[in-house]
């Protein structure tokens, strides 16, 4: 069977940054550690005044095509995943293709373009679509370009304001991929939920605490569903577990839940029994409330054990490196987590080919998906090609007043009366230049 998976990745961050402990926390009257330790975030990326989901997506896609030496005829699909679209009809992929056509001789007229929507899980769904298209043999030897791009902004004063972010991840999905092969097996946990939504509005209505519970519930169901087809998951089957990361503190909770679930009825649970007892079983309790209280107490003890902490340090913590510096990129977040894991493998000089990742995606509304990925021969060269460290170092550090201005600039319905100067100088990139006669957004490549 032909291997299908991710052949190349490019990451494009918004060019501004908001320092959470030093700029955001003092304005909110909060202890900086609420952000650095509680949520697990140091900075969020923000788009400069000439950046948006199209520029970040097109810039990531162009870097990817240039690095791989691709021309438009090599691409048979362009799928964009976003929850920040500004157009209810024309997909963002057409805007991105239009940008790319400014700089390549050829065009994408024979590529199938679309837009995927299911909150943050849409990036993974777009990869699925590409995978299925290739496996079905409809691709004519071409690859699919998947772009997960978002400006994850919340209304000013919303608790989610601390977890904002902006950036794009472009991925090339192909036969015989260089980075990872995707498993055929997948598990889903999907229910109609009202935890985070944008009914005809730019900024989300969020029940943040509820969304955290829904994330955990759907992720557990997805893991159970995955195991029903792939067989029982063992901790040592996986080198890393990149999960959707709205903020690292969320993954900390998900990891503990996944660990408890995975070790149940295994020798690891037996080994830990002497230290913290066996996991509570529902049948042993009079009612659900008593059982849940026992579970909470057990989890508090479980997270202090050496066994859990060492697994977390090896398999989960390394997936959070970039997220701590960029915040939530919605559809791109799990793909940023995968990239962080692969960068960690380089830093540790791991002999990594053939190893497996357990990837968990989640989108509010709500759906979780779990699948496995197997690392391929060319992974190191591809990941070494990323320039994300240089991008993050070059970000302009916003003052509080500048942050307020930038937030206003990116609020579609807000009339910003004064002209706000850009904070960085565009160079060799696509920029937003204004609106056309049908209210379409317009873009230009700055050489
Ligand atoms: N030192 C260390 N930790 C601290 C702290 C301090 N001084 N102050 C607070 N914390 C911890 C809290 O204990 C909490 O961690 P815990 O959940 O493990 O107990 C964490 O920091 C966040 O504090 P909290 O008071 O819960 O923050 P909040 O009410 O302002 O909002 C969210 C947190 C996540 C609900 C909010 O950011 C949000 O709505 N985000 C958007 C929705 C989202 O991302 N959902 C996730 C699913 S996709």
């Amino acid at each position: 069977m032909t291997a299908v998976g991710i052949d190349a990745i490019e990451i494009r961050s918004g060019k501004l940054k908001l320092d959470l402990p030093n700029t955001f926390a003092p304005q909110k009257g909060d202890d900086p550690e609420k952000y650095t330790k509680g949520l697990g975030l140091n900075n969020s990326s923000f788009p400069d005044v000439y950046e948006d989901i199209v520029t970040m997506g097109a810039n990531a896609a162009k870097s990817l095509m240039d690095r791989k030496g691709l021309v438009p005829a090599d691409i048979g699909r362009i799928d964009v995943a976003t929850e920040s679209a500004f157009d209810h009809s024309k997909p963002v992929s057409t805007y991105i293709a239009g940008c790319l056509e400014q700089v390549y001789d050829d065009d994408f007229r024979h590529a199938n373009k679309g837009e995927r929507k299911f909150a943050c899980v849409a990036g993974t769904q777009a990869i699925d679509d590409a995978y299925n298209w290739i496996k079905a043999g409809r691709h004519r030897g071409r690859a699919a370009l998947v772009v997960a791009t978002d400006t994850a902004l919340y209304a000013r004063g919303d608790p989610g304001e601390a977890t904002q972010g902006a950036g794009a991840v472009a991925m090339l999905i192909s036969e015989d991929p260089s980075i990872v092969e995707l498993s055929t097996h997948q598990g889903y946990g999907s229910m109609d939920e009202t935890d985070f939504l944008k009914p005809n509005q730019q900024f989300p209505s969020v029940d943040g605490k509820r969304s955290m519970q829904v994330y955990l519930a759907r992720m557990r169901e997805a893991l159970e569903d995955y195991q029903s087809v792939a067989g029982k998951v063992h901790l040592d089957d996986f080198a890393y577990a990149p999960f959707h990361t709205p903020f690292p503190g969320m993954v900390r909770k998900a990891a503990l839940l996944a660990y408890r679930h995975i070790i149940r009825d295994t020798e690891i649970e037996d080994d830990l029994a002497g230290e913290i007892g066996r996991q509570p079983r529902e049948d042993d309790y009079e009612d659900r409330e008593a059982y849940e209280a026992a579970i909470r107490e057990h989890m508090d003890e479980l997270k202090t054990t050496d066994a859990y902490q060492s697994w977390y340090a090896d398999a989960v913590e390394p997936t959070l490196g970039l997220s701590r510096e960029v915040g939530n990129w919605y559809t791109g977040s799990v793909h940023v987590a995968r990239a962080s894991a692969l960068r960690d493998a380089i830093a540790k000089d791991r002999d990594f080919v053939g190893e497996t990742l357990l990837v968990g995606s989640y989108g509010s509304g709500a759906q979780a998906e779990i699948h496995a990925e197997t690392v391929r021969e060319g992974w190191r060269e591809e990941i070494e090609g990323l320039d994300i460290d240089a991008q993050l170092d070059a970000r302009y550090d916003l003052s509080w007043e500048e942050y307020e201005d930038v937030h206003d600039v990116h609020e579609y319905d807000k009339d910003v009366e004064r002209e706000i100067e850009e904070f960085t100088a565009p160079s060799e990139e696509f920029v937003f230049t204004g609106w056309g006669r049908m209210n379409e957004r317009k873009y230009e490549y700055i050489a």
Side-chain angles (χ1 to χ4, degrees), residues 80-85 115-127 147-152 154 190-191 193-198 204-206 211 214-215 218 244-246 328-335 361-369:
V80 169
T82 185
E83 42 187 310
S84 321
E115 192 173 302
R116 255 293 189 173
K117 178 172 71 179
F118 198 144
C120 306
V121 77
T124 298
Q125 291 183 315
I127 293 177
V147 182
T149 181
D150 272 298
T151 45
Y154 290 74
S190 187
M191 293 284 284
E193 299 279 3
T194 309
D195 57 334
F196 173 115
L197 51 159
K198 298 182 176 181
S205 299
V206 194
S211 77
V214 176
Y215 177 119
R218 302 289 84 82
H244 169 54
T245 314
N328 192 358
W329 287 9
Y330 287 164
T331 55
S333 283
V334 66
H335 309 293
S361 305
Y362 171 77
S364 290
Q367 179 161 304
E369 189 265 6

Side-chain angles (χ1 to χ4, degrees), residues 379-390:
W379 74 279
R380 181 183 289 268
E381 197 186 329
E382 290 296 329
I383 300 303
E384 277 173 349
L386 291 176
D387 68 348
I388 185 65
D389 290 325

Side-chain angles (χ1 to χ4, degrees), residues 141-158:
R142 296 172 299 171
L145 182 61
V146 168
V147 182
T149 181
D150 272 298
T151 45
L153 300 188
Y154 290 74
R156 298 291 314 285
D158 187 288

